[in-house]
Amino acid sequence: MKIVKLALISIIINSSISASSQSILSNKIEINDTTFVNLTDYNKDFVLDMKYATTDNFLKAKVYDCQACFLRLKTVKNLIEANKEFNKKGLKIKIFDCYRPLDVQKKMWAIVSDPNYVANPAKGSIHNRGGAVDITLVDKNGKELDMGTIFDFFEPESSHLFKKLPSKVIKNRKLLKKVMLKHHFESFDSEWWHYNLEGSKKDKLSNFNWDCN
Protein backbone atom coordinates (compact mmCIF):
# COMPACT_ATOMS: atom_id res chain seq x y z
CA MET A 1 0.00 0.00 0.00
CA LYS A 2 2.82 2.40 0.86
CA ILE A 3 4.39 1.78 -2.55
CA VAL A 4 1.08 2.52 -4.29
CA LYS A 5 0.62 5.72 -2.28
CA LEU A 6 4.15 6.84 -3.07
CA ALA A 7 3.57 6.14 -6.74
CA LEU A 8 0.36 8.19 -6.70
CA ILE A 9 2.11 11.06 -4.94
CA SER A 10 4.90 10.93 -7.54
CA ILE A 11 2.37 11.07 -10.40
CA ILE A 12 0.59 14.05 -8.82
CA ILE A 13 3.85 15.94 -8.27
CA ASN A 14 5.11 15.22 -11.79
CA SER A 15 1.79 16.25 -13.28
CA SER A 16 1.91 19.47 -11.30
CA ILE A 17 5.45 20.20 -12.49
CA SER A 18 4.51 19.40 -16.06
CA ALA A 19 1.49 21.71 -15.96
CA SER A 20 3.60 24.44 -14.40
CA SER A 21 6.28 24.05 -17.09
CA GLN A 22 3.67 24.21 -19.82
CA SER A 23 2.26 27.37 -18.27
CA ILE A 24 5.68 28.99 -18.20
CA LEU A 25 6.35 27.92 -21.79
CA SER A 26 2.96 29.26 -22.85
CA ASN A 27 3.71 32.62 -21.25
CA LYS A 28 7.04 32.79 -23.05
CA ILE A 29 5.53 32.29 -26.50
CA GLU A 30 2.42 34.38 -25.89
CA ILE A 31 2.33 37.37 -28.24
CA ASN A 32 0.66 40.63 -27.37
CA ASP A 33 -1.90 42.08 -29.80
CA THR A 34 0.31 45.12 -30.37
CA THR A 35 3.39 43.07 -31.35
CA PHE A 36 4.57 43.33 -34.96
CA VAL A 37 4.26 40.01 -36.80
CA ASN A 38 4.63 38.74 -40.35
CA LEU A 39 1.18 38.21 -41.88
CA THR A 40 2.20 35.07 -43.77
CA ASP A 41 3.24 33.39 -40.51
CA TYR A 42 -0.46 33.44 -39.59
CA ASN A 43 -2.21 33.06 -42.93
CA LYS A 44 -0.90 32.58 -46.48
CA ASP A 45 -4.23 33.06 -48.26
CA PHE A 46 -3.35 36.55 -49.48
CA VAL A 47 -1.75 37.84 -52.67
CA LEU A 48 1.29 39.99 -51.90
CA ASP A 49 2.27 42.66 -54.41
CA MET A 50 4.34 44.91 -52.18
CA LYS A 51 4.86 47.88 -54.47
CA TYR A 52 7.61 49.54 -52.43
CA ALA A 53 9.73 46.39 -52.69
CA THR A 54 9.83 47.15 -56.42
CA THR A 55 10.26 50.23 -58.59
CA ASP A 56 6.59 50.03 -59.63
CA ASN A 57 5.48 52.88 -57.36
CA PHE A 58 5.24 56.66 -57.38
CA LEU A 59 8.71 56.92 -55.84
CA LYS A 60 10.13 55.01 -58.82
CA ALA A 61 12.50 53.42 -56.33
CA LYS A 62 12.74 50.19 -54.34
CA VAL A 63 12.60 51.22 -50.68
CA TYR A 64 11.90 47.82 -49.08
CA ASP A 65 14.56 45.12 -49.24
CA CYS A 66 11.99 42.37 -49.83
CA GLN A 67 8.29 41.63 -50.07
CA ALA A 68 6.95 41.18 -46.56
CA CYS A 69 3.77 42.31 -44.84
CA PHE A 70 4.42 43.17 -41.21
CA LEU A 71 1.55 44.47 -39.06
CA ARG A 72 0.55 44.49 -35.43
CA LEU A 73 -1.08 41.19 -34.47
CA LYS A 74 -4.47 42.81 -33.85
CA THR A 75 -4.43 44.16 -37.43
CA VAL A 76 -3.52 40.72 -38.79
CA LYS A 77 -6.37 39.05 -36.91
CA ASN A 78 -8.99 41.41 -38.33
CA LEU A 79 -7.51 41.29 -41.83
CA ILE A 80 -7.69 37.49 -41.85
CA GLU A 81 -11.34 37.58 -40.84
CA ALA A 82 -12.13 40.08 -43.61
CA ASN A 83 -10.32 37.88 -46.12
CA LYS A 84 -12.34 34.85 -45.04
CA GLU A 85 -15.52 36.73 -45.88
CA PHE A 86 -14.17 37.69 -49.30
CA ASN A 87 -13.19 34.03 -49.84
CA LYS A 88 -16.86 33.05 -49.53
CA LYS A 89 -17.51 35.31 -52.53
CA GLY A 90 -14.72 33.72 -54.56
CA LEU A 91 -12.36 36.63 -53.90
CA LYS A 92 -9.28 37.35 -51.84
CA ILE A 93 -7.30 40.36 -50.67
CA LYS A 94 -4.29 41.55 -52.64
CA ILE A 95 -1.90 43.65 -50.57
CA PHE A 96 0.17 46.58 -51.85
CA ASP A 97 1.54 47.89 -48.55
CA CYS A 98 1.46 47.13 -44.83
CA TYR A 99 3.77 48.44 -42.10
CA ARG A 100 6.03 51.21 -43.38
CA PRO A 101 9.16 52.44 -41.56
CA LEU A 102 9.09 56.13 -40.65
CA ASP A 103 12.20 56.81 -42.76
CA VAL A 104 10.28 55.66 -45.85
CA GLN A 105 7.44 57.99 -44.89
CA LYS A 106 9.90 60.89 -44.93
CA LYS A 107 11.01 59.99 -48.46
CA MET A 108 7.40 59.91 -49.63
CA TRP A 109 6.63 63.27 -48.05
CA ALA A 110 9.62 64.82 -49.78
CA ILE A 111 8.13 63.77 -53.13
CA VAL A 112 4.42 64.37 -52.45
CA SER A 113 3.94 66.94 -49.67
CA ASP A 114 0.16 66.76 -49.77
CA PRO A 115 -1.58 65.46 -46.61
CA ASN A 116 -4.55 64.36 -48.72
CA TYR A 117 -2.36 61.62 -50.14
CA VAL A 118 0.76 61.26 -47.96
CA ALA A 119 0.84 61.62 -44.18
CA ASN A 120 3.26 64.22 -42.82
CA PRO A 121 6.07 62.25 -41.09
CA ALA A 122 6.03 64.81 -38.27
CA LYS A 123 2.78 63.17 -37.17
CA GLY A 124 3.30 59.88 -38.95
CA SER A 125 1.03 57.56 -40.85
CA ILE A 126 -1.02 54.65 -39.54
CA HIS A 127 1.26 52.63 -41.84
CA ASN A 128 4.12 53.64 -39.54
CA ARG A 129 2.10 52.27 -36.62
CA GLY A 130 1.39 48.85 -38.14
CA GLY A 131 -2.33 49.47 -38.34
CA ALA A 132 -2.87 50.28 -42.04
CA VAL A 133 -3.06 48.26 -45.23
CA ASP A 134 -3.28 49.24 -48.91
CA ILE A 135 -5.33 46.59 -50.67
CA THR A 136 -7.55 45.55 -53.54
CA LEU A 137 -9.47 42.39 -54.43
CA VAL A 138 -8.70 39.63 -56.92
CA ASP A 139 -10.92 36.87 -58.29
CA LYS A 140 -10.21 33.12 -58.24
CA ASN A 141 -7.91 33.56 -61.26
CA GLY A 142 -5.89 36.28 -59.56
CA LYS A 143 -7.32 39.05 -61.71
CA GLU A 144 -7.82 42.37 -59.94
CA LEU A 145 -11.35 43.71 -59.70
CA ASP A 146 -11.75 47.01 -61.53
CA MET A 147 -11.46 49.80 -58.95
CA GLY A 148 -11.29 52.63 -61.48
CA THR A 149 -7.66 53.63 -60.90
CA ILE A 150 -4.35 52.01 -60.14
CA PHE A 151 -2.90 51.99 -56.63
CA ASP A 152 -1.34 55.30 -55.52
CA PHE A 153 -3.12 57.33 -58.20
CA PHE A 154 -3.11 60.75 -56.56
CA GLU A 155 -6.07 62.30 -58.35
CA PRO A 156 -9.76 62.92 -57.45
CA GLU A 157 -10.81 59.69 -59.19
CA SER A 158 -9.21 57.69 -56.36
CA SER A 159 -11.62 59.08 -53.78
CA HIS A 160 -14.58 57.20 -52.34
CA LEU A 161 -16.48 60.44 -52.88
CA PHE A 162 -15.84 60.53 -56.63
CA LYS A 163 -19.00 59.26 -58.34
CA LYS A 164 -18.32 59.78 -62.05
CA LEU A 165 -17.25 56.18 -62.45
CA PRO A 166 -18.75 53.09 -64.11
CA SER A 167 -21.34 51.32 -61.95
CA LYS A 168 -19.15 48.21 -61.84
CA VAL A 169 -16.28 50.18 -60.32
CA ILE A 170 -18.52 51.76 -57.70
CA LYS A 171 -19.94 48.32 -56.86
CA ASN A 172 -16.45 46.85 -56.40
CA ARG A 173 -15.32 49.73 -54.18
CA LYS A 174 -18.48 49.46 -52.09
CA LEU A 175 -17.93 45.72 -51.60
CA LEU A 176 -14.34 46.26 -50.47
CA LYS A 177 -15.39 49.03 -48.10
CA LYS A 178 -18.42 47.21 -46.68
CA VAL A 179 -16.49 44.11 -45.66
CA MET A 180 -13.48 46.00 -44.33
CA LEU A 181 -15.66 48.28 -42.18
CA LYS A 182 -17.51 45.22 -40.87
CA HIS A 183 -14.19 43.85 -39.63
CA HIS A 184 -13.20 46.99 -37.73
CA PHE A 185 -11.27 48.89 -40.35
CA GLU A 186 -11.83 52.53 -41.32
CA SER A 187 -11.67 53.84 -44.88
CA PHE A 188 -9.69 56.85 -46.04
CA ASP A 189 -11.76 59.22 -48.20
CA SER A 190 -9.14 60.12 -50.80
CA GLU A 191 -7.78 56.57 -51.36
CA TRP A 192 -10.10 53.64 -52.17
CA TRP A 193 -7.26 51.18 -51.35
CA HIS A 194 -6.35 52.45 -47.87
CA TYR A 195 -7.78 51.00 -44.63
CA ASN A 196 -6.85 51.67 -41.00
CA LEU A 197 -7.66 49.38 -38.09
CA GLU A 198 -9.90 51.15 -35.60
CA GLY A 199 -7.94 52.69 -32.72
CA SER A 200 -4.54 52.35 -34.42
CA LYS A 201 -3.80 56.06 -34.08
CA LYS A 202 -3.03 55.37 -30.42
CA ASP A 203 -0.16 53.04 -31.27
CA LYS A 204 3.42 54.30 -31.36
CA LEU A 205 5.30 55.18 -34.52
CA SER A 206 7.95 52.66 -35.53
CA ASN A 207 11.03 52.72 -37.72
CA PHE A 208 12.32 49.14 -37.67
CA ASN A 209 13.26 47.27 -40.85
CA TRP A 210 12.38 43.59 -41.08
CA ASP A 211 14.92 40.84 -41.70
CA CYS A 212 14.64 39.39 -45.21
CA ASN A 213 16.59 36.21 -44.39
Side-chain angles (χ1 to χ4, degrees), residues 152-170:
D152 268 1
F153 183 72
F154 297 141
E155 297 292 340
E157 291 88 343
S158 294
S159 173
H160 286 284
L161 306 176
F162 191 85
K163 301 302 180 185
K164 294 180 181 180
L165 295 166
S167 59
K168 183 179 180 180
V169 169
I170 293 175

Side-chain angles (χ1 to χ4, degrees), residues 132-176:
V133 286
D134 292 334
I135 60 174
T136 191
L137 295 172
V138 296
D139 63 19
K140 61 182 179 180
N141 297 314
K143 182 180 179 182
E144 291 183 19
L145 271 59
D146 188 356
M147 296 294 180
T149 76
I150 61 171
F151 165 65
D152 268 1
F153 183 72
F154 297 141
E155 297 292 340
E157 291 88 343
S158 294
S159 173
H160 286 284
L161 306 176
F162 191 85
K163 301 302 180 185
K164 294 180 181 180
L165 295 166
S167 59
K168 183 179 180 180
V169 169
I170 293 175
K171 181 181 178 181
N172 290 339
R173 288 188 183 186
K174 283 184 175 179
L175 173 61
L176 178 61

Side-chain angles (χ1 to χ4, degrees), residues 78-106:
N78 285 279
L79 192 62
I80 289 172
E81 291 305 310
N83 201 36
K84 287 179 181 177
E85 186 160 342
F86 287 125
N87 290 165
K88 294 176 183 177
K89 303 177 186 295
L91 305 169
K92 67 173 58 177
I93 293 174
K94 183 175 187 175
I95 303 176
F96 298 127
D97 199 20
C98 298
Y99 158 72
R100 181 188 305 156
L102 188 58
D103 281 347
V104 174
Q105 193 70 32
K106 292 175 181 177

Side-chain angles (χ1 to χ4, degrees), residues 50-62:
M50 308 300 289
K51 293 297 188 183
Y52 301 115
T54 73
T55 57
D56 182 22
N57 58 67
F58 78 99
L59 298 172
K60 304 301 180 186
K62 179 181 176 180

Side-chain angles (χ1 to χ4, degrees), residues 1-204:
M1 289 295 293
K2 287 183 178 179
I3 293 174
V4 173
K5 287 181 179 179
L6 286 172
L8 286 171
I9 291 169
S10 176
I11 291 171
I12 292 169
I13 291 172
N14 288 333
S15 297
S16 176
I17 292 172
S18 177
S20 176
S21 298
Q22 288 176 1
S23 176
I24 292 170
L25 180 60
S26 176
N27 287 335
K28 283 185 177 179
I29 63 173
E30 183 179 348
I31 298 177
N32 189 284
D33 261 359
T34 59
T35 302
F36 279 92
V37 297
N38 191 334
L39 171 65
T40 55
D41 287 342
Y42 289 81
N43 189 289
K44 298 184 186 300
D45 196 25
F46 291 86
V47 177
L48 294 189
D49 184 14
M50 308 300 289
K51 293 297 188 183
Y52 301 115
T54 73
T55 57
D56 182 22
N57 58 67
F58 78 99
L59 298 172
K60 304 301 180 186
K62 179 181 176 180
V63 291
Y64 296 162
D65 291 333
C66 58
Q67 294 213 50
C69 176
F70 277 81
L71 295 162
R72 294 191 190 272
L73 181 57
K74 59 183 179 179
T75 313
V76 165
K77 288 178 178 177
N78 285 279
L79 192 62
I80 289 172
E81 291 305 310
N83 201 36
K84 287 179 181 177
E85 186 160 342
F86 287 125
N87 290 165
K88 294 176 183 177
K89 303 177 186 295
L91 305 169
K92 67 173 58 177
I93 293 174
K94 183 175 187 175
I95 303 176
F96 298 127
D97 199 20
C98 298
Y99 158 72
R100 181 188 305 156
L102 188 58
D103 281 347
V104 174
Q105 193 70 32
K106 292 175 181 177
K107 292 179 182 178
M108 291 181 174
W109 181 254
I111 296 171
V112 180
S113 303
D114 184 343
N116 289 316
Y117 299 107
V118 178
N120 188 328
K123 294 182 178 179
S125 165
I126 306 300
H127 279 294
N128 311 138
R129 293 174 164 85
V133 286
D134 292 334
I135 60 174
T136 191
L137 295 172
V138 296
D139 63 19
K140 61 182 179 180
N141 297 314
K143 182 180 179 182
E144 291 183 19
L145 271 59
D146 188 356
M147 296 294 180
T149 76
I150 61 171
F151 165 65
D152 268 1
F153 183 72
F154 297 141
E155 297 292 340
E157 291 88 343
S158 294
S159 173
H160 286 284
L161 306 176
F162 191 85
K163 301 302 180 185
K164 294 180 181 180
L165 295 166
S167 59
K168 183 179 180 180
V169 169
I170 293 175
K171 181 181 178 181
N172 290 339
R173 288 188 183 186
K174 283 184 175 179
L175 173 61
L176 178 61
K177 186 175 180 178
K178 178 181 178 182
V179 175
M180 292 302 287
L181 265 59
K182 178 180 176 181
H183 292 282
H184 310 292
F185 286 88
E186 300 169 332
S187 62
F188 189 55
D189 283 348
S190 62
E191 300 175 353
W192 61 260
W193 56 81
H194 183 104
Y195 286 88
N196 297 326
L197 184 68
E198 293 173 359
S200 292
K201 289 181 181 179
K202 298 176 183 177
D203 293 320
K204 293 181 179 180

